[in-house]
Amino acid sequence: MRTYVDAEAARHWRATVADAQAGDRQALDELVAGWLPLVYNIVGRALNGHADVDDVVQETMLRAVDNLGSLRDPDSFRSWLVAIAMRQIRDRARRRTTQRLDESVPQDDAADFAELTVLRLQLEGQRREVAEAVRWLDDEDRQLLSLWWLEVAGELTRRELAAAVGISRQHAAVRVQRVKERLEVSRGIVRALDGACPDLRDLTARWSGPPDSVWRKRLARHVRACGYCGDTGESVVPAERLLVGIALVPVPAGFTISLALGGKTAAAATGTASAGWSAKVLAALTKPAVAVTAGATLAAGGAYVVVRPPDDRPSRTAVVPTAASAPATTPSRSAASPTASATAAASASPSPSPSPSASEAKTGRYGSVVDAVDSAPGRDAPPAALPQRPAPGVTSSGGAHATMNHRGDSVTLSGRGYVLVRWQISPQYRAGGLVMPAWTGLKGKLFHVASGGGRRMDDPVSATDATATGMGGTATGYTVLPAGAQQMWQNEYFYLAGTVTLTVNERGADYGLNVFPTTWDAVEKDLTTGPDRGATRYGLVRDTGGDDTPVPQYATRETPADPATVAQRSRV
């Protein structure tokens, strides 16, 4: 689980908050568009998609914008925003205590958030089961689950969860454990209803359909006592492992937020507080201009409209600034491979990326970061010629063959020559979000010269299961790369002239690395082993022979206490 905060992302959002507080409309636009998906998911799951979701999200963002000037510490913006969302959810619950919702009455065609999660994120198997089980939780449990879900996914920290609920971290741990236990009971109910035994069908004959606490207790008693319904027939993966791989549900296209700041007009605000925060922002919001940021449009007058086409398949990466991802900026469109004959042109990163522009790469640092998701070359496309660099040899602290399977495992490489990093991804043990390994303490130069092994990790691996790739399958779940990360191949080759340390940062998905000092001849042989020899495809050459060859995405000359905090934009 990701519980660290990317230092560069933190600096970016600190500056963005400060600029927005100073009345910068572009910064305010970025702030609202960037954090709207997080608020939408918290409120949506807490209220399970009730018709009030839009109103609560609107009120949360309105209050956040209206009171942004009172936020003293920009670093606490995320926890402050989450706390506002939870207060609005609780206020909504208090308003409805005297008129409890009749679950059997249609709710203005509001989407069930559990079903929305399943459909929009195309969940299958036990992940779908977890999403559907949320329906069976009480309101208070759903509120806490909406935060714990995001904590497991790395979007919130436990400190932020506890602060949002208004309890200590120790108390939060107890409450989260209780919610997890009730969620597991609810999963058992969902599983049993999918293949109901005759007794369960008789029991539910009087049930109208919508989940509630009374029927949860009845069905849970039956599941515990029934040998058929209580037998899962498969290994049940703990919910926290399944939630790691579930992204935020995208904000629906056409979702609108009107930032009228409490209904004030620009004239009224400026007349009563000409030097105040509201006056600054209202003056900015009423300028006749339109800005577009992170899939949302800020129109004149302060109305945010999400413009993502409703039929687009939701991206797992372009939804919100996270604890691990970088700020929402314009992604680089530099080619992932400088060798045009070896690969199709790289597309722009589909997510907010902290990667530098091509001009920055040329003037500020050597090489170019592999910062765009490239297309795999054709199965019969031979590789370009691999330049041959001086290679007297590389020594490794792990010996000729270093195996790293656990978080924190590392190997230090020194010398001048080629290095092979072989990937072993194990979705059958634990699927979900993958925290990439990092190259730290670089002295000298490090290049990404080629990809090989006969296949990319997203190539098919089964003749009988069309969904199975090296990244997983529907039966096990998929290993999901971070926003903007380059798809790795089975073998990745690097050229080192100096010293560097490679560290495994495993927290979500299960993976291991094998590291071998190697030779130019061995690399060349691997790259030219193509489909006619039983592999999926030939290799891919990235090396141009010069200092414009790509450098790894997660590389730094610094030595951070936690290598997992290395930003995707390589500071080399």
Side-chain angles (χ1 to χ4, degrees):
M1 180 178 66
R2 298 172 297 172
T3 56
Y4 59 91
V5 177
D6 182 288
E8 188 166 355
R11 286 194 296 270
H12 171 84
W13 287 111
R14 185 187 309 123
T16 303
V17 171
D19 290 345
Q21 288 178 318
D24 185 328
R25 191 180 73 178
Q26 184 176 356
L28 182 66
D29 176 25
E30 183 177 353
L31 205 60
V32 173
W35 294 102
L36 174 60
L38 183 71
V39 172
Y40 175 73
N41 275 258
I42 290 172
V43 176
R45 290 199 175 100
L47 303 184
N48 194 31
H50 182 264
D52 288 351
V53 167
D54 289 7
D55 291 341
V56 175
V57 172
Q58 166 99 349
E59 186 65 21
T60 298
M61 300 307 292
L62 174 63
R63 288 181 179 272
V65 170
D66 203 8
N67 293 284
L68 188 59
S70 67
L71 179 64
R72 295 184 179 181
D73 180 11
D75 284 329
S76 64
F77 174 79
R78 182 173 61 177
S79 57
W80 176 75
L81 178 64
V82 172
I84 292 176
M86 294 308 295
R87 283 197 297 274
Q88 296 308 309
I89 290 168
R90 289 192 290 268
D91 287 348
R92 177 261 186 191
R94 282 194 292 269
R95 289 195 301 267
R96 299 184 64 85
T97 51
T98 58
Q99 45 179 343
R100 297 299 299 169
L101 177 67
D102 179 1
E103 300 290 352
S104 64
V105 177
Q107 302 170 17
D108 302 327
D109 297 323
D112 181 317
F113 206 82
E115 189 63 24
L116 188 65
T117 302
V118 170
L119 294 177
R120 298 303 299 275
L121 299 183
Q122 301 185 358
L123 303 185
E124 300 288 347
Q126 292 190 35
R127 282 190 174 87
R128 180 186 184 108
E129 177 186 281
V130 170
E132 293 180 342
V134 175
R135 295 190 183 108
W136 289 94
L137 298 179
D138 295 332
D139 290 349
E140 188 174 347
D141 286 342
R142 277 203 304 269
Q143 292 174 21
L144 185 58
L145 179 72
S146 70
L147 300 177
W148 178 65
W149 186 308
L150 296 174
E151 180 197 3
V152 172
E155 311 292 348
L156 298 177
T157 65
R158 176 55 60 88
R159 178 184 61 82
E160 290 168 331
L161 180 151
V165 182
I167 57 180
S168 68
R169 294 178 65 176
Q170 292 78 9
H171 189 193
V174 173
R175 287 193 55 189
V176 165
Q177 183 58 38
R178 290 173 181 166
V179 169
K180 287 165 62 176
E181 292 169 355
R182 291 166 186 153
L183 182 63
E184 291 303 323
V185 170
S186 300
R187 290 178 66 188
I189 293 173
V190 171
R191 198 179 306 120
L193 290 173
D194 281 344
C197 71
D199 289 343
L200 184 58
R201 288 196 293 270
D202 290 342
L203 177 63
T204 56
R206 303 186 307 276
W207 177 42
S208 61
D212 59 40
S213 58
V214 174
W215 275 101
R216 184 185 67 223
K217 293 174 182 177
R218 291 176 182 173
L219 298 178
R221 282 197 298 269
H222 171 84
V223 171
R224 286 194 297 268
C226 177
Y228 179 84
C229 294
D231 182 10
T232 63
E234 62 176 331
S235 176
V236 178
V237 180
E240 53 264 44
R241 293 187 181 180
L242 297 168
L243 297 182
V244 168
I246 300 181
L248 297 180
V249 175
V251 180
F255 184 93
T256 304
I257 291 182
S258 177
L259 300 183
L261 294 141
K264 302 174 186 175
T265 65
T270 54
T272 58
S274 59
W277 155 244
S278 295
K280 290 180 181 179
V281 176
L282 280 167
L285 289 178
T286 52
K287 291 179 181 178
V290 174
V292 179
T293 302
T297 297
L298 171 59
Y304 286 83
V305 183
V306 176
V307 295
R308 182 186 54 77
D311 294 331
D312 282 0
R313 178 175 177 175
S315 167
R316 301 181 70 84
T317 58
V319 286
V320 75
T322 69
S325 70
T329 59
T330 303
S332 169
R333 295 184 181 272
S334 60
S337 170
T339 308
S341 61
T343 182
S347 63
S349 170
S351 62
S353 168
S355 304
S357 68
S359 60
E360 287 177 321
K362 290 179 181 178
T363 59
R365 55 186 74 89
Y366 76 88
S368 60
V369 180
V370 180
D371 59 357
V373 180
D374 64 2
S375 300
R379 295 176 182 273
D380 298 317
L386 177 68
Q388 189 166 3
R389 295 174 179 266
V394 173
T395 60
S396 168
S397 62
H401 179 184
T403 299
M404 303 187 292
N405 291 319
H406 305 287
R407 172 172 167 75
D409 288 351
S410 66
V411 60
T412 298
L413 305 161
S414 301
R416 184 183 293 267
Y418 294 89
V419 176
L420 161 61
V421 177
R422 178 172 294 161
W423 281 85
Q424 296 176 313
I425 296 178
S426 305
Q428 68 273 27
Y429 299 127
R430 187 169 66 249
L434 186 146
V435 182
M436 298 292 286
W439 303 87
T440 62
L442 173 62
K443 297 178 180 179
K445 294 184 177 180
L446 178 69
F447 291 132
H448 183 196
V449 300
S451 300
R455 65 186 179 95
R456 292 199 343 167
M457 295 303 290
D458 58 348
D459 282 333
V461 296
S462 173
T464 57
D465 183 358
T467 70
T469 72
M471 302 295 286
T474 54
T476 61
Y478 288 93
T479 296
V480 182
L481 298 180
Q486 181 66 42
Q487 175 64 58
M488 72 287 293
W489 292 50
Q490 180 75 71
N491 293 341
E492 296 289 358
Y493 292 99
F494 302 86
Y495 178 82
L496 173 68
T499 301
V500 72
T501 298
L502 177 63
T503 303
V504 171
N505 295 319
E506 178 186 274
R507 282 182 175 173
D510 192 311
Y511 74 94
L513 301 177
N514 291 302
V515 182
F516 311 76
T518 188
T519 65
W520 180 90
D521 289 332
V523 180
E524 176 75 5
K525 182 178 179 180
D526 184 359
L527 300 183
T528 55
T529 301
D532 57 331
R533 300 183 182 95
T536 303
R537 63 182 79 246
Y538 290 97
L540 174 65
V541 172
R542 302 181 186 277
D543 192 356
T544 66
D547 281 3
D548 56 349
T549 294
V551 299
Q553 286 174 296
Y554 296 82
T556 179
R557 296 192 185 279
E558 300 175 355
T559 306
D562 183 357
T565 61
V566 175
Q568 183 178 327
R569 177 165 58 192
S570 304
R571 293 293 189 183
V572 295

